[in-house]
Amino acid sequence: MIREVVSVGLAVDERWKIIKNRIEPENGISSGMKRICIVTGTHGDELEGQYVCYELARRISEHKELLHGIVDIYPALNPLGIDCIMRSVPKFDLDMNRIFPGSNSSATTEYIAAQIMQDMSGADMAIDIHASNIFLRETPQVRINENTADTLVPYAKLLNTDFIWVHASATVLESTLAHSLNSTGVPCLVVEMGVGMRITREYGMQLVDVIVRVMCEMGIWAGEAPEVRTPIVSRDRHVSFVNAEASGIFIPSIEHWTHVEQGAQIGNIVSPATGEILDTCCSEVSGLVFTLREYPVVYAGSLIARILEDECGEDI
């Protein structure tokens, strides 16, 4: 059932409206029933989550008799951004994921953020789906702030992703949806995958299996639980960065999510005008390339790759 979370008036008789699809068991809601929130579309240029929402809703609808909890699907927290293919909220020029938890007595964007928080309040789990930008391709991964690692890593290990990146705290994270939900007692996992403005179907199918598995563990879904891989758990000190030393066109020498040895060539930065190789980008460590440059135009300092160093798995 499509429900309106919040709606505010805009210019020229338009409205900024956030909707959700609430899927309930055929026999209705009972006391103590678990609820999971699937959230995406916070950034208008991140579309990987759109396929996930579609496929999850489709699977549940086909076997509604197996549903024993509540599934709330929020396909677009920033519908204006999706309409305009913009990361931020058009006209407001704000990053939607930097205004939480919001305020009911503040400006329009903060009011909407507060209403979203209120609607998700009391959920037993939330999965916040993001994509990369148009410049980088990301392997499916769960990103967790080190301050919440002890609580969230056990949940994250159920999320059929290739690895879990436990990253250092940063002040800006305090204004994200995930940080705000975790602060109010709603466990929220951030999944990042793919590339901006695109849908990578195999990544989407992988994540839907993840969500179904979590729903089974929570008692929300009575169907068969898909098998999940054992992810690598990594902290910041195990991630190596490769940056461009020159401006030009980046031509990769490797495939995404492949293993490289220390000193291996990641790619060349070339000059179309002169036919010269301006820089050869090499790995300083041995490990897995989980981020790789997708957009070929680069400048000195541009991120080319992130590499998950070998023997970095650890239990937290």
Side-chain angles (χ1 to χ4, degrees):
M1 179 185 298
I2 300 299
R3 297 188 179 183
E4 188 176 281
V5 176
V6 58
S7 179
V8 297
L10 298 173
V12 200
D13 291 330
E14 293 183 323
R15 299 199 69 80
W16 181 354
K17 182 166 64 175
I18 309 294
I19 63 167
K20 71 176 180 182
N21 180 8
R22 165 157 287 193
I23 311 176
E24 301 175 352
E26 292 179 329
N27 296 327
I29 299 175
S30 60
S31 177
M33 191 169 278
K34 300 282 188 176
R35 175 164 66 108
I36 186 170
C37 297
I38 310 302
V39 190
T40 193
T42 309
H43 295 131
D45 60 351
E46 298 179 3
L47 304 177
E48 299 281 8
Q50 301 301 301
Y51 183 79
V52 174
C53 291
Y54 153 76
E55 179 63 18
L56 180 62
R58 186 193 67 79
R59 288 194 195 183
I60 295 173
S61 297
E62 284 188 351
H63 298 283
K64 195 81 171 291
E65 72 280 3
L66 299 176
L67 186 64
H68 297 286
I70 303 167
V71 181
D72 280 338
I73 298 175
Y74 301 78
L77 294 194
N78 180 11
L80 303 179
I82 291 177
D83 287 344
C84 299
I85 323 175
M86 291 179 60
R87 176 180 175 85
S88 60
V89 181
K91 291 295 184 181
F92 294 91
D93 196 28
L94 286 171
D95 187 330
M96 189 71 186
N97 208 30
R98 296 295 182 271
I99 57 175
F100 288 96
S103 169
N104 285 321
S105 58
S106 293
T108 300
T109 50
E110 291 186 73
Y111 171 75
I112 287 177
Q115 291 296 302
I116 292 169
M117 286 290 297
Q118 181 176 317
D119 198 75
M120 295 183 188
S121 176
D124 298 283
M125 171 64 69
I127 299 176
D128 185 15
I129 305 168
H130 290 262
S132 186
N133 51 40
I134 63 170
F135 302 103
L136 303 166
R137 178 173 292 276
E138 298 282 359
T139 294
Q141 60 197 264
V142 181
R143 295 186 177 183
I144 298 174
N145 187 303
E146 63 184 359
N147 292 335
T148 57
D150 290 343
T151 301
L152 295 182
V153 166
Y155 291 112
K157 287 182 177 179
L158 299 174
L159 293 186
N160 196 27
T161 55
D162 297 300
F163 76 102
I164 300 166
W165 187 2
V166 181
H167 56 78
S169 300
T171 303
V172 70
L173 293 176
E174 295 180 2
S175 57
T176 64
L177 174 65
H179 184 279
S180 298
L181 286 174
N182 281 309
S183 297
T184 60
V186 177
C188 182
L189 296 168
V190 176
V191 176
E192 183 146 350
M193 62 183 188
V195 63
M197 298 188 188
R198 298 290 183 271
I199 288 177
T200 311
R201 187 172 179 180
E202 59 268 32
Y203 289 170
M205 295 296 283
Q206 180 179 336
L207 187 55
V208 172
D209 284 345
V210 163
I211 295 169
V212 172
R213 176 74 186 206
V214 171
M215 288 166 55
C216 289
E217 295 286 339
M218 296 174 67
I220 292 175
W221 188 250
E224 184 177 351
E227 291 297 320
V228 296
R229 67 198 73 189
T230 302
I232 300 168
V233 180
S234 171
R235 290 186 180 272
D236 270 346
R237 65 177 179 273
H238 299 300
V239 175
S240 177
F241 294 77
V242 179
N243 296 92
E245 297 291 337
S247 301
I249 301 298
F250 173 67
I251 309 296
S253 304
I254 60 169
E255 296 293 328
H256 185 234
W257 193 238
T258 55
H259 185 275
V260 295
E261 298 297 331
Q262 185 176 13
Q265 181 175 312
I266 303 298
N268 289 321
I269 298 173
V270 303
S271 168
T274 65
E276 295 177 275
I277 295 177
L278 304 175
D279 180 34
T280 297
C281 305
C282 297
S283 174
E284 295 182 354
V285 301
S286 296
L288 286 166
V289 179
F290 69 89
T291 302
L292 185 63
R293 187 79 180 185
E294 181 82 9
Y295 192 74
V297 178
V298 299
Y299 299 94
S302 294
L303 179 63
I304 298 297
R306 294 189 189 100
I307 301 170
L308 193 62
E309 296 181 38
D310 285 343
E311 299 179 357
C312 63
E314 59 183 277
D315 293 325
I316 299 179

